[in-house]
Amino acid sequence: MSRAKFLISISLLLILFYPEERRGQEKEQDSSDSRKTILWTGEVLSVYRNKGKAKIKIDRNSYFSERREEEIKDILTEKNTLPLFRKPKMEEIGSFQIENIEVEFGKVGKLTKPISIELRGSFSLAEGRPAKLVSVGLLIGAYGQETFYQDPASFDSADVTRNRLVKAILHPKDGKEMVLVHSGYEADGKILYEHMGYFLYGQGTDPSEDSYNPRFGTPDRSNLEELPSFYIDKYEVTNKEYYKFLKETGNQSPPHWENGIFPRGKEYHPVTNLTYREVEEYAKWSGKKLPTEFQWEKAARGTGLVWRLLKNESYEFVSQPRDYPYGNDFDTELCNTRESGRKGTLSVYELPTKSQSPYGAIGMCGNAAEWTSSSYIPYPGHRPMGGRYGKHLRVIRGGSYSSNKEEAKSFSRDFGGIPNLLNDRKAGFRLITEVKN
């Protein structure tokens, strides 16, 4: 028998006797920690016939931010045909052939660095796509492979400090992007007091409200909440994501879905009108948890504190709360409430990035209210004159498109669970994954 025939025979035997299930598991394992992702994007600024111009802005920490001009041009000319995308779903509709590259420089602090890239070239649409799709506002970009998940449970606190945790992960079960809400607080790009997750909750001006915290004006270690680091879904769970869960588990769809299908055209809108028990089922299926109301509030508004180091090397806390995820001034463009006049939810991907919280979570003001795991009871030291409280109720946060701007403040509290947590269809949700300290 020749050497070639012998090798072929051995290969066939390995294929026949190596268990199919094992091969499938290895294939799945190989692909489970990386996926095709868009590394960067640029926007089409002008179109004339089948040609046009696009610009890539180079922001801090973006893909091209620390690269030299020669390196930028090498990257772009290596694969000079780029995919062409249509917003908001990043649907690939064709390609852009690069013909000319110009790198623009500007002052970044005291240094001169690349601040944008102008590309000129021609468009080519995929078969069956009409020419009218080529327009200003389309995106160009580039794909790459990246590690998208690292199990937070694997972090070893003995040699990994809080500021080394990755700022975003994609969860392996439901595929949702999650952002890090770290203990400590961030200043000038550094996480300080990283082992102290102190957080100032509520408000200190109106004792008639259920959000009143009597100790709000005098924060110290004895009356602050201390929260370890955790990851929270960047966006609320959408109709499409909830539908996937229903298909996999056989659970019943919400009664407002006709024929068991979410409203047409709203696949990326947040799922709404769920009961607490339904949300619990989704959390169990995904391997994640509902946030407590304090975890939710910190993710929405930040720590609410500034730490001031004193001359004797001790420190004090100074209150610096914000009313909304993006700041203290209400803005109808950044918070979808009754004042915005939209009278319905928006796609989670249509919400402006300017509305994001200090940790990068989006949609925590209006749009859809969100369940938390906390019982609806008064805060320590608060003795309200009236109102319905109880451990059988659960706190709801964030307000919705039908709420007013006061109800959408990051500290505002609502509740659900009447007549019970199985039947009260009150809100949508987002989930968390805790990090080992």
Side-chain angles (χ1 to χ4, degrees), residues 99-155:
E99 297 173 358
N100 185 60
I101 303 170
E102 292 184 12
V103 181
E104 181 184 354
F105 290 82
K107 285 289 184 181
V108 180
K110 295 182 179 180
L111 302 176
T112 300
K113 291 187 174 184
I115 58 173
S116 68
I117 308 165
E118 184 177 283
L119 303 176
R120 296 179 183 272
S122 56
F123 300 99
S124 177
L125 287 173
E127 186 176 353
R129 298 284 186 172
K132 65 181 181 181
L133 285 183
V134 178
S135 62
V136 172
L138 293 177
L139 300 179
I140 58 169
Y143 288 116
Q145 289 286 336
E146 71 170 7
T147 299
F148 73 96
Y149 177 74
Q150 186 175 1
D151 184 0
S154 68
F155 296 140

Side-chain angles (χ1 to χ4, degrees), residues 58-70:
I58 304 178
D59 299 318
R60 181 183 177 186
N61 299 324
S62 65
Y63 184 78
F64 292 106
S65 61
E66 297 300 324
R67 302 183 190 272
R68 302 186 310 275
E69 181 177 8
E70 297 78 9

Side-chain angles (χ1 to χ4, degrees), residues 105-392:
F105 290 82
K107 285 289 184 181
V108 180
K110 295 182 179 180
L111 302 176
T112 300
K113 291 187 174 184
I115 58 173
S116 68
I117 308 165
E118 184 177 283
L119 303 176
R120 296 179 183 272
S122 56
F123 300 99
S124 177
L125 287 173
E127 186 176 353
R129 298 284 186 172
K132 65 181 181 181
L133 285 183
V134 178
S135 62
V136 172
L138 293 177
L139 300 179
I140 58 169
Y143 288 116
Q145 289 286 336
E146 71 170 7
T147 299
F148 73 96
Y149 177 74
Q150 186 175 1
D151 184 0
S154 68
F155 296 140
D156 184 355
S157 60
D159 59 4
V160 179
T161 58
R162 212 72 80 244
N163 60 347
R164 291 182 189 167
L165 294 177
V166 292
K167 289 193 173 182
I169 60 174
L170 290 180
H171 198 269
K173 179 63 177 179
D174 60 9
K176 287 187 70 64
E177 184 177 358
M178 307 185 78
V179 292
L180 176 66
V181 181
H182 52 73
S183 57
Y185 78 96
E186 190 166 340
D188 298 325
K190 296 180 180 179
I191 298 173
L192 308 177
Y193 305 102
E194 56 197 355
H195 299 290
M196 301 182 194
Y198 294 120
F199 161 65
L200 180 62
Y201 62 89
Q203 51 85 19
T205 57
D206 190 351
S208 68
E209 293 293 326
D210 58 359
S211 58
Y212 182 67
N213 176 3
R215 300 159 180 169
F216 189 86
T218 56
D220 61 45
R221 295 182 66 162
S222 67
N223 58 41
L224 292 169
E225 281 296 305
E226 190 167 6
L227 301 177
S229 297
F230 61 94
Y231 288 93
I232 192 166
D233 289 339
K234 182 174 182 177
Y235 303 102
E236 295 159 314
V237 173
T238 65
N239 286 319
K240 185 176 182 180
E241 290 162 342
Y242 192 71
Y243 181 71
K244 177 186 176 185
F245 153 72
L246 296 179
K247 296 293 282 185
E248 288 193 19
T249 61
N251 286 25
Q252 292 221 339
S253 58
H256 66 283
W257 286 15
E258 291 186 17
N259 301 317
I261 304 294
F262 51 81
R264 187 174 180 180
K266 293 192 175 183
E267 60 267 41
Y268 299 110
H269 287 232
V271 62
T272 59
N273 299 329
L274 297 183
T275 71
Y276 182 80
R277 297 303 181 205
E278 287 173 328
V279 171
E280 270 190 327
E281 286 297 311
Y282 184 102
K284 191 182 301 181
W285 166 80
S286 68
K288 298 195 282 188
K289 294 181 178 181
L290 270 164
T292 66
E293 68 165 315
F294 288 151
Q295 286 173 324
W296 191 98
E297 186 176 332
K298 181 178 179 181
R301 70 192 303 207
T303 62
L305 297 165
V306 172
W307 303 51
R308 181 179 296 160
L309 190 64
L310 303 178
K311 289 182 179 180
N312 62 2
E313 297 187 354
S314 65
Y315 57 85
E316 65 177 358
F317 302 99
V318 181
S319 300
Q320 198 175 69
R322 60 171 71 195
D323 289 345
Y324 299 99
Y326 52 84
N328 286 314
D329 297 324
F330 179 77
D331 188 328
T332 55
E333 294 300 315
L334 304 181
C335 188
N336 182 21
T337 60
R338 193 185 306 162
E339 289 82 358
S340 70
R342 296 185 180 94
K343 300 181 180 179
T345 56
L346 295 172
S347 162
V348 298
Y349 303 119
E350 290 178 13
L351 300 172
T353 55
K354 277 187 176 181
S355 70
Q356 70 182 9
S357 79
Y359 302 102
I362 291 178
M364 302 191 84
C365 178
N367 212 32
E370 301 177 27
W371 286 104
T372 76
S373 63
S374 295
S375 297
Y376 183 64
I377 54 178
Y379 290 152
H382 186 206
R383 298 291 180 266
M385 299 298 293
R388 176 179 288 186
Y389 297 92
K391 292 186 176 181
H392 62 292

Side-chain angles (χ1 to χ4, degrees), residues 34-38 92 143-146:
S34 66
R35 68 169 48 168
K36 192 176 183 181
T37 185
I38 299 174
E92 187 174 341
Y143 288 116
Q145 289 286 336
E146 71 170 7

